[in-house]
Amino acid sequence: MEINKFQFFLLFIIFLIIGMDSILDEFQFHRPLIACTLIGYILNDIKTGFTIGGTLEMISLGWMNVGAAVAPDVALASIISTILVILGGQKIGSGIALAIPIAATGQVLTIIIRTFTIFIQHLADNAAKKNNLKIISILHIIALIMQGMRIAIPSIFFIFSIKSPIINNILNSIPESITTGLNISGGIIVVIGYAMVINMMSAKYLMPFFYAGFVIAAFTNFNLVALGIIGIVIAIIYIQLNPKYYKHICEYNNKNNKKEIDNELD
């Protein structure tokens, strides 16, 4: 697949935004479901992008930056995996399986960039001593752009490299047993992701709905949209029938009634 200049420009902007948001954790553009879908949309294959993003999202639910702790770089993994499948012609399972080592590589790049930004922090401290807010704002923007370029530069380089004869020969020379193993491991990783989600939920009273969902999906022809709507309806009904919900409503009504009685006595 060939990309035109406009697609290349859009990809570069998206890469910058994803890179900056991966350190901000603000608008969630760096999450696989959003990042992969956007890239797939630009490359005219939104279905593949959405499929990769949804799978990687389940794998990376527990990946997050906590304080100074740097998580595996899900942003770079999402971009490279999507490009590898759509532009490189690889199977989705292979792209998903390679996401883990790519995320580890991105984690190293994040640490390197953070090390460089220490110098910028010292400059910001000196500017703060002089009450120069303009310089501090500029330094903030420079540091943020560095995080964006951390994702954009490797991604753009990978786009150019994936069409080179050397990369094509490497990808095509991979034995079928290895690609099959990558596809199998990709499926195993997805299952582990689901298991991690269930373990984090750790709510026994929700397990009947979990199993009911699998039964409905297996013995009916409902698509994901229909299953999602059914899940929302069941959730609303469950909340309305839950005693905790009624307890909250009763407490709220009792408070309001007490206020009305007090007002009447006044």
Side-chain angles (χ1 to χ4, degrees), residues 55-108:
T55 306
L56 291 180
E57 190 69 49
M58 297 302 301
I59 297 173
S60 61
L61 279 176
W63 297 358
M64 61 185 69
N65 298 322
V66 180
V70 181
D73 193 356
V74 66
L76 186 63
S78 301
I79 293 172
I80 299 300
S81 297
T82 307
I83 293 174
L84 184 66
V85 174
I86 296 178
L87 295 181
Q90 299 299 308
K91 295 181 179 179
I92 294 179
S94 300
I96 293 171
L98 292 174
I100 305 300
I102 294 172
T105 303
Q107 186 180 28
V108 175

Side-chain angles (χ1 to χ4, degrees), residues 236-254:
I236 294 173
I237 296 174
Y238 176 78
I239 291 174
Q240 291 178 345
L241 296 178
N242 195 322
K244 295 181 180 179
Y245 176 82
Y246 277 113
K247 182 179 179 181
H248 175 73
I249 294 297
C250 291
E251 291 176 353
Y252 179 78
N253 291 334
N254 290 334

Side-chain angles (χ1 to χ4, degrees), residues 10 34 64 76 99 135 182 186 260:
L10 289 179
I34 298 178
M64 61 185 69
L76 186 63
I135 295 298
L182 288 174
E260 291 178 358

Side-chain angles (χ1 to χ4, degrees), residues 11 21 41 49 53 68 100 106 110 113 123 154 177 181 192 195 213 229 234 242:
L11 286 174
D21 197 50
Y41 177 76
I100 305 300
T110 304
I113 295 299
L123 294 177
S177 58
I192 294 174
I229 294 174
I234 293 176
N242 195 322

